[in-house]
Structure formats: C-alpha cells, structure tokens
Amino acid sequence: MRRLGAARPSGPAVWLALVLAVGVLVVGPIRPAAAHTALLGSSPASGDRLAYSPDEIVLSFAAPVDVRTVGHHLRTADGEEIAVEVATPGPTADVVAFEVPRLAQGTYGFAWESVGDDGHRLSGEVVFGVGTAPGATGSIAGGGDPLATALDLSALAGRVAWYVGLALAAGVAALGIRATTLPGALARRRVPGVLAVLAGAAALRGVVGALIVLEAGGGIGRALGSRPPLWWAAVAVGVWALRWVVVHRPAVLARTSAARALGVAAGLAVLGGTVAGHAPTRPDPAVANAVGAVHVAAAAAWVGPLLVLALMARTPAWRALDDDERRATLRRAMATVARTAGWALAAVAASGALLALRAWDGSVSTSFAWALGIKLAVVAAIAVPLGVLHHRTRDRWSAVPRTVRIEAAGLVVAMVLGGVLVGVDPGWSGGSGEADIALEALLDGTATDPAACADLDVGRAACVRTALEQVLVAEGPQAAIDIVAELSTTDDHVMANCHQVAHDLGNDASECIDDMATALAVEGSVCWSGYYHGFVEARLAAVSTDDLTAALPTFCESAAEPRYSFTHYNCLHGLGHGLMLRVDSNLFDALPLCDATGEEWAIHSCASGVFMENVIAAQQGLDTGGFDDEDLLHPCTAVDDLVAGDCYLMQTSYVLWRLDGDVPAAFGWCDTAPEAHRTTCYRSMGRDISSRAARDPVQVVELCAQGRADLVRWCIDGAASNAVYEQAGTDAADALCAAVTGDLRTACTEARDTAAGIVAAG
C-alpha cells in the first residue's frame, strides 16, 4: 500500500474507535450477505400460506452452491424437527430441492445454510403456513375445545348444504329448461326455493368462517376482512338478487328463462364458492381452483336431475299426471340424465382422483382414507350399477321407480362424504385453524412488535426482522435501533445474534433511506455498530465495478460531518467490509482499494473493516490468502506498516479461534509480535476476553492476568473499551474498573472515559 502524507487524528480515540467494530468476532462468525451466493427466492416463499402440504421445498441461488454442504432443518411451530431429504444431485447447483413428507396444518420454519462456489456462506429461514388463515376451513378432526368442535361441525353443515343446493340447482335447471319435460309451473315454483337454499348455504359458510377467525384470536377486522367471508358474502348477495328478480319481476323472464337463469347462477356459484374455499397462495392456485370447480360442477350435474326426479315423484302435481304423461315426461327426463351422466361421471372420477392423490397421505388408518373409501364404495356399488340399469329400462317406466330414489340417495351420501373429506383432509388437519397471532402476523408481513417474537420456536429471526422493518418505516431508524438495544439485554435471540440483527436492520434501511448522512446520523453503536456496517455494505453493492474506484473517495462524504466522527469512522469501516465482499474476500485485493478513500485516517478506518472481514472469512473456512498456518500473526507481519496496527487490532480473534480459546497460548503469540505492535495485540486480547467472558469483571481480570505482567494494563484497556462499545454505556466498564487497583484501575478508567466520549460524540 502506498503511504499518504495527509495527517490523521492520533491518540487513544482513534485506537479505541477501531476496537469497537471487532468484539463480535469472539462471539462467533458473522454470516455476511455475500452477493455471489444470494438467495434469489424459494418455493414456497417465506410468508406463503399453502392449502396443502408442499411436495418439496426449493431454494434458488444467484450462483451455484455446494449441495453437499447445504445445511437444513425443518421444524414445526413447537420446535419439533421433521426429516427432509435433498433431492438435487451434486456437487453444485443453483437450484436445490428438498423432498418433504406430508405436513399437517400449521406453521413451519425451514432453516438453511449454504456455501457458494466462491466459498461464501449465507443462511436464512423460510417460514410458511400449511392451511389458510384461521377460519378458511373447519376440520372435524379437531379436538378438545367444545367451541372449536361446534364451529367445525357448523362448517361441515355449511359444506353439505352448499353441495345439496348446487345439486338441486343443476337438476331443476337441466330438467326445467324444456317446458315439455316437466310442467312449467312446477319448474318455476322450484327455482326460488333452490336459489334461497344456495344463498342461505353461502351465507352460513361465510358466517362460520368469520366466527372461526374470531375463535382463533384473529380479531374482528381479520374475521370480516379475510377471503372466505368476503367471497361467500358476495355469492350470497348475488344469488339472492337473482331470486328477487325471479319472484318479484317474473315478467322479465320468459317461461323457461327462470330455469336457464338458475343454471347460470349455479355455474357462477360453483366458481365463486371454489375460490372462496381454496387458498389463493397454494402452489398451483389456477389449476387447483379449476379442478375443484370441475369436480363440484360435474357432481352436481350427475346428482341433481336424479334428486329432483326423486323429490318430484312425491308431489301432488306429479301424481295428477296420467300414465301416458308420466311416461313421456320420464322418457324426456331420463334422456336428459343420460346425456349428462356419462361425461359427469368421467369428470367426477378424473378430478376426484387428482384431488384425492393431492390430499391423501396413503395411510388407510386415517379418517380421511376411511371417508374416501366409503365414498368410492357407495359410488361403485350403488350409483354406477343403478345408473346403468335406469338408462337401459327407462322407456317402460310410468312412475319413478324406487331404484332411482336409491341411486339419488346414494349420490347424496357421496356428496355428504365429500364435505367430510374436506374437513379431515390431511392438508387441513389440526383443528379449526388456531394459530399463534405472532406467527399469523409474520406470515402476513405485519409483525410490528419484536418482543412478541420471543416465544416462537420457528421464524423468530424472520419475525424480529419483519417487526424491526415495520418500525423502521413507520418511526425511522433510531426507533428501530433503540429497540435492538433494549432487546440485546432481554431477548436471548437478539443477545446471541446482536450484530447480525443490527446488520440486517442496516440492510433494510438502505432500501428505504436515500441519503446516507440521514441514515447514519443516528446513535447506532449498539451491537458493535452492526446497523452502520449493514447499511454501508448494502449501499456499496449498488456501485458498479467500473465506477467503484472513482466512487470511493467521496463514498462516505455525506457521513463526514463532522469529519473523523464515530459516524464517519463507521461508514469507512463498513466500506472495508463491503470491499472484501466485492473482491471475493481476497485481503490483498481489498487493501489497495482502501487507498482510494484518500487521506490516511480514512485508509486506517477502511482497513479495519477489511481485516475484520478477513477474520470472518477464515472462521467460515474460506481461502482468502490472508493467513498462514505456521504464522498465526500473518497477514499482520506481511502488510504495509501503515495498516499493520489495524491488522493486529483484529488478529487475536483469529488466533484465539485457531487455538480453540487457549488464552495463554494466544498471549504467547502477542509476545512474538514486533515491539511496536505488542500493546495493540494485548489491547485486542482484552477486547476478545471481554466478549468471551460476557463482560464479567472477575473473569476478565483472571484471563488478562495470564499475559505478561508489564502488558496486562493494555489488556484491561481493551476490555474496558469493549464493555462500553458493546452496551453503548459504562455500567459493565465501571464494574471492571472497580475490580482492579493501582495502574490497572488508571488504565481502565482512562479507556472507559475515552470510549464513552467517542460514543457520546457520535
């Protein structure tokens, strides 16, 4: 690296500012968001609600990843792990699929970690729901709660009423379109009643759906505004409006038009009801809705005419016909039945098979399998044989035979079992859709309270990030940072992932805050300034390779007011992180880019980020060219003297990692460093010891005492500074200074006060 003649601020303030950024290294490796192996998307996507269990989970990356090293864990909302298998052959691929067993209704988290072909690691979690929002359907398989059971049974009653209403509509429409088939007056009398049944069944399903949302704790807004109640309300209003026209404006319709209008209404009701009863976010919504609509419409066309015939045979109007009129009417009616029954049976069988294979888990012991088996038995043993008989013998009938009524009854039983199948479908199992409201908010993307995420076993990281992003947009970055600071002392997830949580917040801020100075003009030193680093890294990723060198001198200009401030330093330090990611973590390619930042102080600040990212890369197993297995102080012994101090201030995190936390041995390596850098190495050890001991003063003092007696003060110096920077306060540093005496207390208080001044000055 070239030396620059520009002066830079010197003294403890600069060194302690550099200490700030690297405490996280001793806690564990950070997972930087490497552009080369970024996750482009997943199926299902995080936040999706699927109607049925997915057959597989697919991750799509920007570049090939090593399939053999992809880590994955699928867990339920209760934390139970579910085994999945990698379905993509290796060794590398940019799309990786995982085979998934049948999942019951609930929320799931698929945590993954990957290694790209460039060696970068990244991780994340896909959170998705199986089953729609609470109340979209009921399940008679649910147990326990009497209210939930009552709602499930009400949902079943609504489904059965809906299916029977559609069958009656199809039958009256099919047999009543021709005036000569049945007496016209009889057909017109039935149309208003059938429309009333359809409207009532739709209204019942909408009301039950809303009540189930309320029972699950979703609130009145979600209950009334969710998809099922809205769609069922629209169907009910539309059908009732048509009924009003039929009853109160009969002149508008010709003699056969009422039946035709009923047929159109039934078709639209099938479409509207199918959409209302299926999840719009399932993997194949168009195909699923189309197959469902075909199945329901075909079943209604098959059952309806026979059911209407069976019912009409018991009316006085039918008995008033003589034998010849009955025989002619039956001949025409059964001709209508024969025309529709063949294709209806084929459509029912094909669509039913698709729906059953999609839903059935293959276990004959489940209630779903039993209901499906009984339904198939009824159709195969009763409906089909009797249907064949009726089509062959209808010309000799002068009255509707008992076998027609048996066939119609069998088909109605099959329709009832169809309603049962929806309730016990494995894709819907698990009760009435009760769900943790924090998980519901996560899936909806509306989580606003990070504290509400604390009890989640899956989706916790995603929930925290979503909630913080909502706060960021609504109240600004400082409000979100303050929440992170609070949670870093109370929430075990945020405590363990403090820097990453703040780092993600910075990434999100880069997308909604254009002005860098505005974004960085906050107190963001909490969690080792993760917010600053995440923002700068994300902003740097938007600069093209051709423009990169020219952009570096002024990249942090808007954050340099005042110059050499904490905010200015953090911008340049984050720039160093970003430069390492831009050059595939090659230390000796990144350091020259720091030269382009201009003056010497900026080079030091940028280099601190480069060296920190270098240690992170080593902890992730990457070959950066920045380390030597024989010399644990390398690359500090190989870089230009201008930045060697910045290197030593980071290097002990790598040394301790390589030595499995052997503190005396790590001090031994510091003792071999050039004399000019030994105090810096000891200060770095103090930072690492402070973080490893969770700032416990007794442990810090004991561990620092394992170094050379004449250099221990610098270890205490680094520990006190780190205590201030980790908490953006002096409480932990005060406890440390109280635990030492003499020169060590002097060193401790001086370091504490200097660090506190830097934090306060921003």
PDB file of all heavy atoms in Angstrom, residues 459-484:
ATOM      1  N   GLY A 459     -39.197 -19.244  12.879  1.00  0.00           N
ATOM      2  CA  GLY A 459     -39.498 -17.921  12.346  1.00  0.00           C
ATOM      3  C   GLY A 459     -39.111 -16.776  13.240  1.00  0.00           C
ATOM      4  O   GLY A 459     -39.473 -15.633  12.975  1.00  0.00           O
ATOM      5  N   ARG A 460     -38.361 -17.056  14.302  1.00  0.00           N
ATOM      6  CA  ARG A 460     -38.055 -15.987  15.246  1.00  0.00           C
ATOM      7  C   ARG A 460     -37.200 -14.903  14.605  1.00  0.00           C
ATOM      8  O   ARG A 460     -37.474 -13.711  14.753  1.00  0.00           O
ATOM      9  CB  ARG A 460     -37.347 -16.574  16.456  1.00  0.00           C
ATOM     10  CG  ARG A 460     -37.230 -15.599  17.619  1.00  0.00           C
ATOM     11  CD  ARG A 460     -36.750 -16.325  18.852  1.00  0.00           C
ATOM     12  NE  ARG A 460     -36.560 -15.444  19.972  1.00  0.00           N
ATOM     13  CZ  ARG A 460     -36.093 -15.839  21.141  1.00  0.00           C
ATOM     14  NH1 ARG A 460     -35.808 -17.124  21.332  1.00  0.00           N
ATOM     15  NH2 ARG A 460     -35.929 -14.993  22.138  1.00  0.00           N
ATOM     16  N   ALA A 461     -36.154 -15.320  13.892  1.00  0.00           N
ATOM     17  CA  ALA A 461     -35.281 -14.333  13.249  1.00  0.00           C
ATOM     18  C   ALA A 461     -36.056 -13.528  12.214  1.00  0.00           C
ATOM     19  O   ALA A 461     -35.921 -12.298  12.138  1.00  0.00           O
ATOM     20  CB  ALA A 461     -34.088 -15.030  12.606  1.00  0.00           C
ATOM     21  N   ALA A 462     -36.871 -14.214  11.403  1.00  0.00           N
ATOM     22  CA  ALA A 462     -37.658 -13.518  10.395  1.00  0.00           C
ATOM     23  C   ALA A 462     -38.678 -12.595  11.040  1.00  0.00           C
ATOM     24  O   ALA A 462     -38.947 -11.499  10.544  1.00  0.00           O
ATOM     25  CB  ALA A 462     -38.357 -14.530   9.486  1.00  0.00           C
ATOM     26  N   CYS A 463     -39.263 -13.029  12.147  1.00  0.00           N
ATOM     27  CA  CYS A 463     -40.249 -12.205  12.849  1.00  0.00           C
ATOM     28  C   CYS A 463     -39.615 -10.928  13.384  1.00  0.00           C
ATOM     29  O   CYS A 463     -40.148  -9.834  13.221  1.00  0.00           O
ATOM     30  CB  CYS A 463     -40.876 -13.020  13.983  1.00  0.00           C
ATOM     31  SG  CYS A 463     -42.174 -12.159  14.905  1.00  0.00           S
ATOM     32  N   VAL A 464     -38.436 -11.076  14.004  1.00  0.00           N
ATOM     33  CA  VAL A 464     -37.733  -9.909  14.539  1.00  0.00           C
ATOM     34  C   VAL A 464     -37.388  -8.935  13.414  1.00  0.00           C
ATOM     35  O   VAL A 464     -37.585  -7.723  13.523  1.00  0.00           O
ATOM     36  CB  VAL A 464     -36.459 -10.339  15.288  1.00  0.00           C
ATOM     37  CG1 VAL A 464     -35.589  -9.128  15.614  1.00  0.00           C
ATOM     38  CG2 VAL A 464     -36.821 -11.071  16.565  1.00  0.00           C
ATOM     39  N   ARG A 465     -36.888  -9.481  12.308  1.00  0.00           N
ATOM     40  CA  ARG A 465     -36.502  -8.599  11.206  1.00  0.00           C
ATOM     41  C   ARG A 465     -37.715  -7.894  10.608  1.00  0.00           C
ATOM     42  O   ARG A 465     -37.659  -6.694  10.309  1.00  0.00           O
ATOM     43  CB  ARG A 465     -35.771  -9.400  10.125  1.00  0.00           C
ATOM     44  CG  ARG A 465     -35.274  -8.521   8.973  1.00  0.00           C
ATOM     45  CD  ARG A 465     -34.297  -9.234   8.086  1.00  0.00           C
ATOM     46  NE  ARG A 465     -33.753  -8.324   7.084  1.00  0.00           N
ATOM     47  CZ  ARG A 465     -32.783  -8.646   6.244  1.00  0.00           C
ATOM     48  NH1 ARG A 465     -32.229  -9.860   6.294  1.00  0.00           N
ATOM     49  NH2 ARG A 465     -32.339  -7.771   5.355  1.00  0.00           N
ATOM     50  N   THR A 466     -38.817  -8.642  10.425  1.00  0.00           N
ATOM     51  CA  THR A 466     -40.028  -8.033   9.880  1.00  0.00           C
ATOM     52  C   THR A 466     -40.550  -6.931  10.794  1.00  0.00           C
ATOM     53  O   THR A 466     -40.923  -5.844  10.339  1.00  0.00           O
ATOM     54  CB  THR A 466     -41.115  -9.105   9.690  1.00  0.00           C
ATOM     55  OG1 THR A 466     -40.658 -10.079   8.752  1.00  0.00           O
ATOM     56  CG2 THR A 466     -42.408  -8.488   9.184  1.00  0.00           C
ATOM     57  N   ALA A 467     -40.568  -7.206  12.086  1.00  0.00           N
ATOM     58  CA  ALA A 467     -41.071  -6.213  13.040  1.00  0.00           C
ATOM     59  C   ALA A 467     -40.189  -4.969  13.052  1.00  0.00           C
ATOM     60  O   ALA A 467     -40.688  -3.835  13.072  1.00  0.00           O
ATOM     61  CB  ALA A 467     -41.152  -6.822  14.432  1.00  0.00           C
ATOM     62  N   LEU A 468     -38.878  -5.169  13.042  1.00  0.00           N
ATOM     63  CA  LEU A 468     -37.970  -4.017  13.045  1.00  0.00           C
ATOM     64  C   LEU A 468     -38.098  -3.208  11.762  1.00  0.00           C
ATOM     65  O   LEU A 468     -38.003  -1.973  11.776  1.00  0.00           O
ATOM     66  CB  LEU A 468     -36.530  -4.488  13.228  1.00  0.00           C
ATOM     67  CG  LEU A 468     -36.171  -5.008  14.622  1.00  0.00           C
ATOM     68  CD1 LEU A 468     -34.764  -5.598  14.626  1.00  0.00           C
ATOM     69  CD2 LEU A 468     -36.270  -3.889  15.663  1.00  0.00           C
ATOM     70  N   GLU A 469     -38.326  -3.897  10.655  1.00  0.00           N
ATOM     71  CA  GLU A 469     -38.506  -3.175   9.392  1.00  0.00           C
ATOM     72  C   GLU A 469     -39.768  -2.322   9.429  1.00  0.00           C
ATOM     73  O   GLU A 469     -39.787  -1.198   8.914  1.00  0.00           O
ATOM     74  CB  GLU A 469     -38.560  -4.164   8.230  1.00  0.00           C
ATOM     75  CG  GLU A 469     -38.617  -3.484   6.868  1.00  0.00           C
ATOM     76  CD  GLU A 469     -38.611  -4.487   5.726  1.00  0.00           C
ATOM     77  OE1 GLU A 469     -38.752  -5.706   5.997  1.00  0.00           O
ATOM     78  OE2 GLU A 469     -38.480  -4.061   4.567  1.00  0.00           O
ATOM     79  N   GLN A 470     -40.831  -2.855  10.049  1.00  0.00           N
ATOM     80  CA  GLN A 470     -42.058  -2.072  10.183  1.00  0.00           C
ATOM     81  C   GLN A 470     -41.809  -0.821  11.023  1.00  0.00           C
ATOM     82  O   GLN A 470     -42.284   0.269  10.697  1.00  0.00           O
ATOM     83  CB  GLN A 470     -43.156  -2.930  10.818  1.00  0.00           C
ATOM     84  CG  GLN A 470     -43.613  -4.111   9.977  1.00  0.00           C
ATOM     85  CD  GLN A 470     -44.427  -3.699   8.773  1.00  0.00           C
ATOM     86  OE1 GLN A 470     -45.123  -2.685   8.800  1.00  0.00           O
ATOM     87  NE2 GLN A 470     -44.344  -4.469   7.712  1.00  0.00           N
ATOM     88  N   VAL A 471     -41.059  -0.981  12.114  1.00  0.00           N
ATOM     89  CA  VAL A 471     -40.726   0.174  12.959  1.00  0.00           C
ATOM     90  C   VAL A 471     -39.857   1.154  12.185  1.00  0.00           C
ATOM     91  O   VAL A 471     -40.040   2.380  12.265  1.00  0.00           O
ATOM     92  CB  VAL A 471     -40.011  -0.294  14.243  1.00  0.00           C
ATOM     93  CG1 VAL A 471     -39.544   0.905  15.068  1.00  0.00           C
ATOM     94  CG2 VAL A 471     -40.935  -1.181  15.073  1.00  0.00           C
ATOM     95  N   LEU A 472     -38.890   0.637  11.432  1.00  0.00           N
ATOM     96  CA  LEU A 472     -38.004   1.480  10.629  1.00  0.00           C
ATOM     97  C   LEU A 472     -38.799   2.365   9.686  1.00  0.00           C
ATOM     98  O   LEU A 472     -38.548   3.578   9.581  1.00  0.00           O
ATOM     99  CB  LEU A 472     -37.043   0.577   9.845  1.00  0.00           C
ATOM    100  CG  LEU A 472     -36.156   1.248   8.794  1.00  0.00           C
ATOM    101  CD1 LEU A 472     -35.084   2.087   9.470  1.00  0.00           C
ATOM    102  CD2 LEU A 472     -35.511   0.194   7.895  1.00  0.00           C
ATOM    103  N   VAL A 473     -39.766   1.791   8.990  1.00  0.00           N
ATOM    104  CA  VAL A 473     -40.556   2.546   8.021  1.00  0.00           C
ATOM    105  C   VAL A 473     -41.480   3.540   8.719  1.00  0.00           C
ATOM    106  O   VAL A 473     -41.638   4.683   8.274  1.00  0.00           O
ATOM    107  CB  VAL A 473     -41.376   1.578   7.142  1.00  0.00           C
ATOM    108  CG1 VAL A 473     -42.349   2.343   6.259  1.00  0.00           C
ATOM    109  CG2 VAL A 473     -40.447   0.716   6.296  1.00  0.00           C
ATOM    110  N   ALA A 474     -42.090   3.112   9.829  1.00  0.00           N
ATOM    111  CA  ALA A 474     -43.088   3.954  10.498  1.00  0.00           C
ATOM    112  C   ALA A 474     -42.471   5.050  11.357  1.00  0.00           C
ATOM    113  O   ALA A 474     -42.986   6.174  11.407  1.00  0.00           O
ATOM    114  CB  ALA A 474     -44.016   3.085  11.345  1.00  0.00           C
ATOM    115  N   GLU A 475     -41.356   4.737  12.047  1.00  0.00           N
ATOM    116  CA  GLU A 475     -40.829   5.673  13.037  1.00  0.00           C
ATOM    117  C   GLU A 475     -39.393   6.113  12.786  1.00  0.00           C
ATOM    118  O   GLU A 475     -38.876   6.957  13.518  1.00  0.00           O
ATOM    119  CB  GLU A 475     -40.919   5.041  14.430  1.00  0.00           C
ATOM    120  CG  GLU A 475     -42.325   4.597  14.817  1.00  0.00           C
ATOM    121  CD  GLU A 475     -42.361   3.936  16.179  1.00  0.00           C
ATOM    122  OE1 GLU A 475     -41.676   4.442  17.090  1.00  0.00           O
ATOM    123  OE2 GLU A 475     -43.057   2.909  16.326  1.00  0.00           O
ATOM    124  N   GLY A 476     -38.734   5.523  11.801  1.00  0.00           N
ATOM    125  CA  GLY A 476     -37.369   5.923  11.499  1.00  0.00           C
ATOM    126  C   GLY A 476     -36.337   4.988  12.103  1.00  0.00           C
ATOM    127  O   GLY A 476     -36.642   4.168  12.976  1.00  0.00           O
ATOM    128  N   PRO A 477     -35.068   5.098  11.649  1.00  0.00           N
ATOM    129  CA  PRO A 477     -34.034   4.148  12.076  1.00  0.00           C
ATOM    130  C   PRO A 477     -33.699   4.208  13.558  1.00  0.00           C
ATOM    131  O   PRO A 477     -33.398   3.184  14.162  1.00  0.00           O
ATOM    132  CB  PRO A 477     -32.825   4.522  11.207  1.00  0.00           C
ATOM    133  CG  PRO A 477     -33.073   5.937  10.793  1.00  0.00           C
ATOM    134  CD  PRO A 477     -34.553   6.067  10.665  1.00  0.00           C
ATOM    135  N   GLN A 478     -33.742   5.400  14.173  1.00  0.00           N
ATOM    136  CA  GLN A 478     -33.358   5.486  15.572  1.00  0.00           C
ATOM    137  C   GLN A 478     -34.302   4.697  16.468  1.00  0.00           C
ATOM    138  O   GLN A 478     -33.872   4.028  17.415  1.00  0.00           O
ATOM    139  CB  GLN A 478     -33.316   6.945  16.034  1.00  0.00           C
ATOM    140  CG  GLN A 478     -32.701   7.135  17.410  1.00  0.00           C
ATOM    141  CD  GLN A 478     -31.248   6.697  17.452  1.00  0.00           C
ATOM    142  OE1 GLN A 478     -30.395   7.283  16.783  1.00  0.00           O
ATOM    143  NE2 GLN A 478     -30.935   5.671  18.220  1.00  0.00           N
ATOM    144  N   ALA A 479     -35.599   4.753  16.170  1.00  0.00           N
ATOM    145  CA  ALA A 479     -36.568   3.994  16.965  1.00  0.00           C
ATOM    146  C   ALA A 479     -36.290   2.502  16.871  1.00  0.00           C
ATOM    147  O   ALA A 479     -36.348   1.775  17.873  1.00  0.00           O
ATOM    148  CB  ALA A 479     -37.990   4.304  16.494  1.00  0.00           C
ATOM    149  N   ALA A 480     -35.963   2.020  15.669  1.00  0.00           N
ATOM    150  CA  ALA A 480     -35.668   0.600  15.495  1.00  0.00           C
ATOM    151  C   ALA A 480     -34.371   0.221  16.201  1.00  0.00           C
ATOM    152  O   ALA A 480     -34.277  -0.845  16.833  1.00  0.00           O
ATOM    153  CB  ALA A 480     -35.585   0.268  14.007  1.00  0.00           C
ATOM    154  N   ILE A 481     -33.361   1.073  16.120  1.00  0.00           N
ATOM    155  CA  ILE A 481     -32.083   0.804  16.789  1.00  0.00           C
ATOM    156  C   ILE A 481     -32.271   0.757  18.296  1.00  0.00           C
ATOM    157  O   ILE A 481     -31.689  -0.086  18.994  1.00  0.00           O
ATOM    158  CB  ILE A 481     -31.046   1.870  16.397  1.00  0.00           C
ATOM    159  CG1 ILE A 481     -30.682   1.730  14.918  1.00  0.00           C
ATOM    160  CG2 ILE A 481     -29.783   1.752  17.255  1.00  0.00           C
ATOM    161  CD1 ILE A 481     -29.865   2.880  14.376  1.00  0.00           C
ATOM    162  N   ASP A 482     -33.089   1.660  18.819  1.00  0.00           N
ATOM    163  CA  ASP A 482     -33.341   1.672  20.266  1.00  0.00           C
ATOM    164  C   ASP A 482     -33.996   0.368  20.724  1.00  0.00           C
ATOM    165  O   ASP A 482     -33.713  -0.135  21.819  1.00  0.00           O
ATOM    166  CB  ASP A 482     -34.231   2.864  20.632  1.00  0.00           C
ATOM    167  CG  ASP A 482     -33.511   4.202  20.466  1.00  0.00           C
ATOM    168  OD1 ASP A 482     -32.263   4.199  20.383  1.00  0.00           O
ATOM    169  OD2 ASP A 482     -34.193   5.236  20.410  1.00  0.00           O
ATOM    170  N   ILE A 483     -34.869  -0.174  19.889  1.00  0.00           N
ATOM    171  CA  ILE A 483     -35.498  -1.450  20.232  1.00  0.00           C
ATOM    172  C   ILE A 483     -34.454  -2.561  20.240  1.00  0.00           C
ATOM    173  O   ILE A 483     -34.449  -3.425  21.129  1.00  0.00           O
ATOM    174  CB  ILE A 483     -36.624  -1.771  19.237  1.00  0.00           C
ATOM    175  CG1 ILE A 483     -37.790  -0.793  19.433  1.00  0.00           C
ATOM    176  CG2 ILE A 483     -37.115  -3.203  19.401  1.00  0.00           C
ATOM    177  CD1 ILE A 483     -38.901  -0.945  18.420  1.00  0.00           C
ATOM    178  N   VAL A 484     -33.549  -2.553  19.261  1.00  0.00           N
ATOM    179  CA  VAL A 484     -32.472  -3.549  19.234  1.00  0.00           C
ATOM    180  C   VAL A 484     -31.626  -3.441  20.499  1.00  0.00           C
ATOM    181  O   VAL A 484     -31.253  -4.446  21.110  1.00  0.00           O
ATOM    182  CB  VAL A 484     -31.598  -3.374  17.977  1.00  0.00           C
ATOM    183  CG1 VAL A 484     -30.395  -4.320  18.033  1.00  0.00           C
ATOM    184  CG2 VAL A 484     -32.412  -3.644  16.724  1.00  0.00           C
TER     185      VAL A 484
END
